[in-house]
Amino acid sequence: MSIQTVESRRHRVVVIGSGFGGLFGAQALKRADVDVTLIARTTHHLFQPLLYQVATGILSVGDIAPATRLVLRKQKNTQVLLGDVLEVDLEAKTVTSRLLERETVTEFDSLIVAAGAGQSYFGNDHFAEFAPGMKTIDDALELRGRILGAFEQAELSHDPEERARLLTFVVVGAGPTGVELAGQIAELAHRTLNGAFRSIDSRESRVILLDGAPAVLPVYGGKLSEKAAARLEKLGIEIQLNAMVTDVDVDGLVVKEKDGTERRIDSQCKVWSAGVQASPLGKQLAAQSGAEIDRAGRVHVNPDLSLPGYPNVYVIGDMMSLDNLPGLAQVAMQGGKYAAKQIKATVAGESPETRHPFKYFDKGSMATISRFSAVAKVGKLEISGFIGWVAWLVIHLMYLVGFRSKFSTILSWTVSFLGRGRAQMASTEQQVFARNAIDLLQDYERAKDAGLIGDPLAVSTGEEREKAG
Ligand SMILES: Cc1cc2nc3c(=O)[nH]c(=O)nc-3n(C[C@H](O)[C@H](O)[C@H](O)COP(=O)(O)OP(=O)(O)OC[C@H]3O[C@@H](n4cnc5c(N)ncnc54)[C@H](O)[C@@H]3O)c2cc1C
C-alpha cells in the first residue's frame, strides 16, 4: 500500500465524483486561479437519464459515458484521479482514495462532495441479488443480459409454466426510471424481437410495472399521471399499484396488497427502481460536522450548500438535502456551478458571510413512455404525447456531453425509433453474472480478513490441509 500526497501551491480544490454535480462544478472552475483534483471511482461521466436505453439495446455505453479525462483534457488546471474515496478528514483537510491496493491522500483547501446516490432496497438488501437496480453502466449491461437472456431461455423451454415465468418482466417502482424501462422492455418484445424467435412469440411477454404508491409517476400527479398510465396500458404493460414487494427470489417475487393479502408473481427478470440512498460518505461528513442526515442518507446543508462549521466544504446533488429539492440532474449541475462560484469568491478574498443562498432554477422534468410519447412538466405547463417526446429528445441531446456522443445518439435513435432495429443487442455471460460473483468474492475477502476462513492459496499449497490434519 502506498501513500502519496498530491502537492500544490495554489488554492486546492478537490471534487469528489464525476457525475452531473462533480463534472459541472469542475468545469465551472476552468478559468479560476485554482488547482482542481477530481477524484471518482469511475473513469467516465455517466448520463444516468439514458441508462435505460443502454439496458434495452438502443444506445451503446460510449454514447452516454464519455471518459472524464478526455472531457477535461483541455482544462489545464484540473487533474483527474481514479479512485474510490474512503475517507474525508475535515479537520486535516484531506481526502483518502483507493485504487486497487494503492491509497492516495489528497489535500484540499475547498472540497466539493458530489458522490451521488445508490439504489435503496429499504432495508432488504438481499433483494439486490435477484432484482438489480439501474444506477451504473454495469447495472445497465447486466440488465440487458438478463432481459435478452430470458427470451433466449424461453425459446429453449418446452414447459409452458417455465416459459411464462421467463417471459414475465417485472419492474418495481413506477417513477420516471421504472416507467421508461417498462416502456422499452415492452417495445423490445413487441417490435424489435417480433419474428426473431421460432418457438416463442416475443409479443406474448408480460411486462408488469409495480408500485406501492397509488399512481404512476406520482411526482407529476393529476392528468399527466393518468395520461402516462393510459399510454403504458396501450403498450400492453400491466400496471399494479398499491402493491408492496415483501420478498424477491430467483423465480419471482411476493407482493402485498393494500388489504394485506399476499400473492406471488413468477418472473425470472426483475428490475428494482424503487428508491435511492445517498453515498455513505454523507454519513461520514455528518458525523464529523454535526450536520443532520435524512432517511435517504442525504446531508442537511446550509443555504450556501456548505457543511455546518465548514464553509469550505460543499455537499451537492443527490447527496444534499435542502428545501426538499429533488434528486435531479439540474439540481446537481446548478449546485456544482454554484459551489464553484463561491470558491472563486473565496479565492478573491470574499468572506463566506457575503454569500447569497443557492437558488434552484426549476427547468421542469420529463419522462418518456415509449417512442413518440413522453410527459413533461415545466412550471404550470404540462405537455404530453408527441410534442412532449420531441421536447424530451431535444433536451437530452443538449445535455449529452461531447459532439461524438450527440452524433452517434442521433443515429441510434433514428434506427430505433423510425425503424425497429437496435444496434446494441449483444450481451455476455460476464455482464450477467459479474455483480453477484464480485459480491461473493468480497464477502469471502471480508470473512478471510476476519479470520473466519483460510486462504485458498494455502489450501492449494497443502498448508491448510496439513493444518486441518
Ligand atoms: C436511471 C436513472 C435515470 C434518471 N433520469 C433522470 C432524468 O430523466 N432527469 C433528471 O433530471 N435526473 C434523472 N436522474 C437523476 C440524476 O441522474 C441525478 O440526480 C444526478 O446524476 C445526480 O448527480 P450527482 O452529481 O449528485 O451524482 P451522480 O451523477 O450519481 O455522480 C456521482 C459520482 O460520484 C462517484 N462516486 C460515488 N461514490 C464515490 C466514492 N466513494 N469515491 C469516488 N467517487 C464516487 C460516482 O462514480 C459518480 O461519478 C436519473 C437517475 C437514474 C439513476
Side-chain angles (χ1 to χ4, degrees):
M1 181 190 298
S2 79
I3 308 280
Q4 173 200 337
T5 304
V6 178
E7 302 257 350
S8 173
R9 273 188 233 111
R10 288 200 291 186
H11 186 94
R12 297 156 303 182
V13 183
V14 170
V15 179
I16 302 177
S18 59
F20 285 105
L23 183 69
F24 280 74
Q27 285 181 320
L29 290 165
K30 187 174 181 181
R31 289 188 185 83
D33 188 22
V34 297
D35 285 323
V36 181
T37 307
L38 183 145
I39 309 172
R41 63 154 68 120
T42 51
T43 55
H44 48 263
H45 162 70
L46 178 58
F47 194 89
Q48 285 179 336
L50 289 175
L51 263 179
Y52 77 98
Q53 294 202 1
V54 171
T56 51
I58 297 174
L59 296 180
S60 76
V61 168
D63 292 332
I64 66 161
T68 318
R69 187 172 298 292
L70 296 183
V71 175
L72 294 172
R73 174 168 39 193
K74 291 188 180 150
Q75 190 165 321
K76 297 293 178 206
N77 66 346
T78 301
Q79 181 178 24
V80 177
L81 299 181
L82 183 62
D84 199 351
V85 172
L86 306 175
E87 198 191 339
V88 177
D89 188 328
L90 295 177
E91 285 308 313
K93 294 188 180 174
T94 56
V95 170
T96 305
S97 56
R98 182 191 289 159
L99 178 63
L100 301 173
E101 295 300 305
R102 186 191 301 270
E103 276 200 2
T104 303
V105 179
T106 311
E107 296 173 351
F108 66 84
D109 298 305
S110 293
L111 175 67
I112 301 178
V113 188
Q119 205 70 61
S120 168
Y121 288 84
F122 309 112
N124 296 301
D125 288 355
H126 55 287
F127 290 180
E129 187 180 349
F130 309 111
M134 197 175 57
K135 287 279 175 196
T136 63
I137 286 178
D138 283 332
D139 294 340
L141 292 176
E142 176 181 346
L143 276 175
R144 188 199 287 172
R146 284 184 177 228
I147 295 165
L148 299 178
F151 285 105
E152 294 299 338
Q153 290 174 63
E155 173 81 346
L156 293 168
S157 170
H158 299 289
D159 173 356
E161 249 179 54
E162 187 190 32
R163 251 191 198 181
R165 176 171 57 75
L166 288 163
L167 291 179
T168 299
F169 300 87
V170 180
V171 179
V172 183
T177 301
V179 163
E180 290 176 332
L181 191 61
Q184 280 313 315
I185 298 175
E187 292 215 320
L188 199 59
H190 290 274
R191 297 182 70 241
T192 310
L193 295 177
N194 180 18
F197 294 95
R198 300 292 169 259
S199 303
I200 57 164
D201 181 347
S202 62
R203 291 170 304 175
E204 285 172 9
S205 308
R206 283 176 79 194
V207 182
I208 300 172
L209 182 62
L210 263 179
D211 205 304
V216 163
L217 295 178
V219 287
Y220 292 80
K223 273 195 183 145
L224 280 187
S225 206
E226 284 164 22
K227 280 185 181 168
R231 178 68 200 159
L232 287 165
E233 278 169 343
K234 210 168 165 201
L235 282 173
I237 294 166
E238 294 173 38
I239 300 172
Q240 301 184 4
L241 301 169
N242 296 308
M244 298 293 291
V245 175
T246 55
D247 199 13
V248 183
D249 58 48
V250 66
D251 289 331
L253 67 171
V254 179
V255 174
K256 193 175 180 178
E257 301 290 0
K258 216 176 171 187
D259 62 9
T261 53
E262 286 198 328
R263 64 188 164 87
R264 186 177 168 80
I265 304 172
D266 289 332
S267 160
Q268 169 154 309
C269 186
K270 287 90 52 187
V271 188
W272 193 268
S273 67
V276 292
Q277 185 69 27
S279 157
L281 288 177
K283 211 170 167 188
Q284 220 185 86
L285 295 172
Q288 290 178 47
S289 65
E292 287 182 19
I293 46 172
D294 67 13
R295 276 172 54 199
R298 295 176 308 173
V299 184
H300 283 281
V301 291
N302 292 328
D304 65 355
L305 310 190
S306 70
L307 270 180
Y310 294 90
N312 60 330
V313 178
Y314 305 84
V315 181
I316 61 168
D318 282 3
M319 280 188 72
M320 78 171 189
S321 169
L322 179 74
D323 302 336
N324 284 323
L325 289 175
L328 289 177
Q330 272 297 334
V331 175
M333 282 152 64
Q334 291 178 30
K337 289 181 193 168
Y338 172 90
K341 196 172 165 193
Q342 307 319 311
I343 292 170
K344 285 190 233 174
T346 303
V347 172
E350 285 180 32
S351 140
E353 276 84 57
T354 61
R355 289 178 191 167
H356 295 292
F358 172 66
K359 257 203 177 141
Y360 172 57
F361 176 56
D362 186 358
K363 295 187 179 172
S365 51
M366 46 182 47
T368 44
I369 297 154
S370 60
R371 70 188 185 124
F372 308 149
S373 176
V375 289
K377 198 171 182 174
V378 186
K380 285 192 179 148
L381 181 69
E382 296 188 344
I383 315 170
S384 61
F386 185 69
I387 299 173
W389 186 74
V390 173
W392 170 90
L393 215 74
V394 172
I395 286 174
H396 281 71
L397 269 182
M398 256 165 57
Y399 285 106
L400 261 184
V401 173
F403 171 76
R404 208 207 71 89
S405 298
K406 288 189 208 307
F407 184 69
S408 57
T409 299
I410 291 174
L411 274 183
S412 301
W413 282 351
T414 309
V415 170
S416 303
F417 298 144
L418 295 184
R420 60 179 187 138
R422 295 189 181 203
Q424 309 298 328
M425 295 292 281
S427 67
T428 70
E429 219 175 329
Q430 284 189 18
Q431 287 168 353
V432 179
F433 297 112
R435 181 178 54 95
N436 285 331
I438 290 170
D439 280 352
L440 273 178
L441 215 60
Q442 283 172 343
D443 284 350
Y444 177 81
E445 285 296 325
R446 275 192 285 270
K448 205 176 77 183
D449 289 348
L452 299 173
I453 47 179
D455 189 331
L457 290 179
V459 174
S460 66
T461 57
E463 204 178 292
E464 192 83 352
R465 262 178 278 137
E466 247 174 58
K467 252 198 233 163

Short mmCIF file of all heavy atoms in Angstrom, two decimals, residues 340-368:
data_model
loop_
_atom_site.label_atom_id
_atom_site.label_comp_id
_atom_site.label_asym_id
_atom_site.label_seq_id
_atom_site.Cartn_x
_atom_site.Cartn_y
_atom_site.Cartn_z
N ALA A 340 -18.71 26.23 -7.29
CA ALA A 340 -17.52 26.76 -7.96
C ALA A 340 -17.46 28.27 -7.84
O ALA A 340 -16.39 28.86 -7.60
CB ALA A 340 -17.54 26.35 -9.44
N LYS A 341 -18.63 28.92 -7.98
CA LYS A 341 -18.69 30.38 -7.89
C LYS A 341 -18.26 30.83 -6.48
O LYS A 341 -17.51 31.82 -6.33
CB LYS A 341 -20.12 30.83 -8.18
CG LYS A 341 -20.27 32.27 -8.48
CD LYS A 341 -21.69 32.57 -8.94
CE LYS A 341 -21.91 34.07 -8.88
NZ LYS A 341 -23.30 34.43 -9.01
N GLN A 342 -18.72 30.11 -5.45
CA GLN A 342 -18.36 30.50 -4.08
C GLN A 342 -16.85 30.31 -3.86
O GLN A 342 -16.21 31.09 -3.16
CB GLN A 342 -19.14 29.68 -3.03
CG GLN A 342 -20.65 29.68 -3.22
CD GLN A 342 -21.21 31.04 -3.60
OE1 GLN A 342 -20.91 32.06 -2.97
NE2 GLN A 342 -22.02 31.06 -4.67
N ILE A 343 -16.30 29.26 -4.47
CA ILE A 343 -14.86 29.02 -4.31
C ILE A 343 -14.07 30.15 -4.96
O ILE A 343 -13.10 30.67 -4.39
CB ILE A 343 -14.48 27.64 -4.89
CG1 ILE A 343 -15.10 26.53 -4.03
CG2 ILE A 343 -12.97 27.47 -4.98
CD1 ILE A 343 -15.02 25.14 -4.61
N LYS A 344 -14.52 30.58 -6.13
CA LYS A 344 -13.82 31.69 -6.80
C LYS A 344 -13.89 32.95 -5.94
O LYS A 344 -12.91 33.69 -5.82
CB LYS A 344 -14.47 31.97 -8.17
CG LYS A 344 -14.11 30.92 -9.21
CD LYS A 344 -14.57 31.38 -10.57
CE LYS A 344 -15.40 30.35 -11.25
NZ LYS A 344 -16.00 30.74 -12.49
N ALA A 345 -15.05 33.17 -5.31
CA ALA A 345 -15.21 34.35 -4.45
C ALA A 345 -14.26 34.25 -3.24
O ALA A 345 -13.64 35.23 -2.84
CB ALA A 345 -16.65 34.47 -3.98
N THR A 346 -14.14 33.05 -2.69
CA THR A 346 -13.24 32.85 -1.55
C THR A 346 -11.81 33.18 -1.95
O THR A 346 -11.08 33.86 -1.22
CB THR A 346 -13.32 31.38 -1.06
OG1 THR A 346 -14.67 31.09 -0.74
CG2 THR A 346 -12.43 31.13 0.14
N VAL A 347 -11.41 32.69 -3.13
CA VAL A 347 -10.04 32.93 -3.61
C VAL A 347 -9.83 34.44 -3.81
O VAL A 347 -8.74 34.97 -3.57
CB VAL A 347 -9.77 32.14 -4.91
CG1 VAL A 347 -8.44 32.51 -5.53
CG2 VAL A 347 -9.83 30.65 -4.64
N ALA A 348 -10.91 35.12 -4.21
CA ALA A 348 -10.81 36.58 -4.42
C ALA A 348 -10.84 37.33 -3.09
O ALA A 348 -10.82 38.57 -3.08
CB ALA A 348 -11.94 37.04 -5.32
N GLY A 349 -10.95 36.62 -1.98
CA GLY A 349 -10.86 37.26 -0.66
C GLY A 349 -12.20 37.57 -0.02
O GLY A 349 -12.25 38.20 1.03
N GLU A 350 -13.30 37.12 -0.65
CA GLU A 350 -14.62 37.41 -0.05
C GLU A 350 -14.90 36.48 1.12
O GLU A 350 -14.49 35.31 1.12
CB GLU A 350 -15.71 37.28 -1.11
CG GLU A 350 -15.71 38.45 -2.07
CD GLU A 350 -16.80 38.33 -3.13
OE1 GLU A 350 -17.85 37.76 -2.84
OE2 GLU A 350 -16.53 38.80 -4.26
N SER A 351 -15.64 37.00 2.09
CA SER A 351 -15.94 36.19 3.27
C SER A 351 -17.21 35.36 3.04
O SER A 351 -18.13 35.79 2.33
CB SER A 351 -16.11 37.13 4.46
OG SER A 351 -17.15 36.71 5.27
N PRO A 352 -17.30 34.18 3.66
CA PRO A 352 -18.49 33.34 3.48
C PRO A 352 -19.79 34.05 3.89
O PRO A 352 -20.85 33.74 3.38
CB PRO A 352 -18.22 32.14 4.40
CG PRO A 352 -16.75 32.11 4.59
CD PRO A 352 -16.27 33.51 4.48
N GLU A 353 -19.70 35.01 4.78
CA GLU A 353 -20.90 35.72 5.25
C GLU A 353 -21.59 36.49 4.11
O GLU A 353 -22.78 36.78 4.18
CB GLU A 353 -20.56 36.73 6.37
CG GLU A 353 -20.49 36.11 7.76
CD GLU A 353 -19.14 35.50 8.02
OE1 GLU A 353 -18.14 36.21 7.92
OE2 GLU A 353 -19.08 34.28 8.31
N THR A 354 -20.82 36.85 3.07
CA THR A 354 -21.40 37.65 1.99
C THR A 354 -22.11 36.79 0.93
O THR A 354 -22.66 37.31 -0.03
CB THR A 354 -20.31 38.48 1.28
OG1 THR A 354 -19.36 37.56 0.72
CG2 THR A 354 -19.59 39.42 2.24
N ARG A 355 -22.09 35.47 1.12
CA ARG A 355 -22.67 34.58 0.09
C ARG A 355 -24.20 34.70 0.01
O ARG A 355 -24.86 34.74 1.04
CB ARG A 355 -22.34 33.12 0.42
CG ARG A 355 -20.90 32.76 0.21
CD ARG A 355 -20.65 31.32 0.60
NE ARG A 355 -19.23 31.05 0.63
CZ ARG A 355 -18.69 29.96 1.17
NH1 ARG A 355 -19.47 29.03 1.72
NH2 ARG A 355 -17.40 29.79 1.16
N HIS A 356 -24.70 34.71 -1.22
CA HIS A 356 -26.15 34.62 -1.40
C HIS A 356 -26.53 33.16 -1.37
O HIS A 356 -25.78 32.31 -1.86
CB HIS A 356 -26.56 35.22 -2.75
CG HIS A 356 -26.30 36.68 -2.84
ND1 HIS A 356 -27.00 37.60 -2.09
CD2 HIS A 356 -25.39 37.39 -3.56
CE1 HIS A 356 -26.54 38.81 -2.35
NE2 HIS A 356 -25.55 38.71 -3.24
N PRO A 357 -27.71 32.83 -0.82
CA PRO A 357 -28.09 31.42 -0.76
C PRO A 357 -28.26 30.81 -2.16
O PRO A 357 -28.55 31.52 -3.12
CB PRO A 357 -29.42 31.42 -0.01
CG PRO A 357 -29.80 32.82 0.22
CD PRO A 357 -28.69 33.72 -0.21
N PHE A 358 -28.09 29.50 -2.24
CA PHE A 358 -28.29 28.77 -3.50
C PHE A 358 -29.76 28.85 -3.91
O PHE A 358 -30.65 28.61 -3.10
CB PHE A 358 -27.89 27.31 -3.30
CG PHE A 358 -28.23 26.41 -4.48
CD1 PHE A 358 -27.60 26.57 -5.70
CD2 PHE A 358 -29.19 25.40 -4.35
CE1 PHE A 358 -27.91 25.75 -6.79
CE2 PHE A 358 -29.51 24.57 -5.44
CZ PHE A 358 -28.85 24.75 -6.64
N LYS A 359 -30.00 29.23 -5.15
CA LYS A 359 -31.38 29.29 -5.65
C LYS A 359 -31.50 28.35 -6.83
O LYS A 359 -30.81 28.50 -7.83
CB LYS A 359 -31.69 30.72 -6.10
CG LYS A 359 -32.54 31.47 -5.12
CD LYS A 359 -33.25 32.59 -5.82
CE LYS A 359 -34.16 33.29 -4.82
NZ LYS A 359 -34.16 34.71 -5.03
N TYR A 360 -32.37 27.35 -6.70
CA TYR A 360 -32.54 26.38 -7.78
C TYR A 360 -33.51 26.95 -8.82
O TYR A 360 -34.61 27.39 -8.47
CB TYR A 360 -33.07 25.06 -7.21
CG TYR A 360 -33.46 24.07 -8.27
CD1 TYR A 360 -32.55 23.64 -9.24
CD2 TYR A 360 -34.75 23.55 -8.31
CE1 TYR A 360 -32.91 22.74 -10.22
CE2 TYR A 360 -35.12 22.63 -9.29
CZ TYR A 360 -34.21 22.24 -10.24
OH TYR A 360 -34.56 21.35 -11.22
N PHE A 361 -33.09 26.93 -10.07
CA PHE A 361 -33.97 27.36 -11.15
C PHE A 361 -34.59 26.10 -11.77
O PHE A 361 -33.91 25.30 -12.40
CB PHE A 361 -33.17 28.16 -12.19
CG PHE A 361 -34.00 28.55 -13.39
CD1 PHE A 361 -35.17 29.28 -13.22
CD2 PHE A 361 -33.61 28.19 -14.67
CE1 PHE A 361 -35.95 29.63 -14.31
CE2 PHE A 361 -34.38 28.53 -15.77
CZ PHE A 361 -35.55 29.25 -15.58
N ASP A 362 -35.88 25.93 -11.52
CA ASP A 362 -36.57 24.71 -11.96
C ASP A 362 -36.86 24.78 -13.46
O ASP A 362 -37.71 25.55 -13.91
CB ASP A 362 -37.88 24.57 -11.17
CG ASP A 362 -38.58 23.26 -11.47
OD1 ASP A 362 -38.07 22.48 -12.30
OD2 ASP A 362 -39.64 23.00 -10.86
N LYS A 363 -36.16 23.94 -14.22
CA LYS A 363 -36.37 23.94 -15.67
C LYS A 363 -37.39 22.88 -16.07
O LYS A 363 -37.57 22.58 -17.24
CB LYS A 363 -35.04 23.68 -16.39
CG LYS A 363 -34.03 24.79 -16.19
CD LYS A 363 -32.80 24.58 -17.04
CE LYS A 363 -31.81 25.71 -16.86
NZ LYS A 363 -30.53 25.46 -17.52
N GLY A 364 -38.00 22.24 -15.08
CA GLY A 364 -39.04 21.23 -15.37
C GLY A 364 -38.48 19.82 -15.36
O GLY A 364 -37.27 19.61 -15.23
N SER A 365 -39.38 18.86 -15.49
CA SER A 365 -38.93 17.46 -15.54
C SER A 365 -39.77 16.69 -16.56
O SER A 365 -40.89 17.10 -16.88
CB SER A 365 -39.03 16.81 -14.16
OG SER A 365 -40.31 17.02 -13.63
N MET A 366 -39.21 15.63 -17.04
CA MET A 366 -39.91 14.87 -18.08
C MET A 366 -39.56 13.40 -18.05
O MET A 366 -38.53 12.99 -17.50
CB MET A 366 -39.59 15.45 -19.46
CG MET A 366 -38.11 15.73 -19.71
SD MET A 366 -37.78 16.47 -21.32
CE MET A 366 -38.98 17.75 -21.44
N ALA A 367 -40.45 12.58 -18.61
CA ALA A 367 -40.19 11.13 -18.71
C ALA A 367 -40.78 10.62 -20.01
O ALA A 367 -41.89 11.01 -20.39
CB ALA A 367 -40.83 10.41 -17.53
N THR A 368 -40.04 9.75 -20.71
CA THR A 368 -40.60 9.14 -21.92
C THR A 368 -41.35 7.88 -21.54
O THR A 368 -41.00 7.20 -20.58
CB THR A 368 -39.51 8.66 -22.91
OG1 THR A 368 -38.51 8.01 -22.18
CG2 THR A 368 -39.00 9.74 -23.77
#
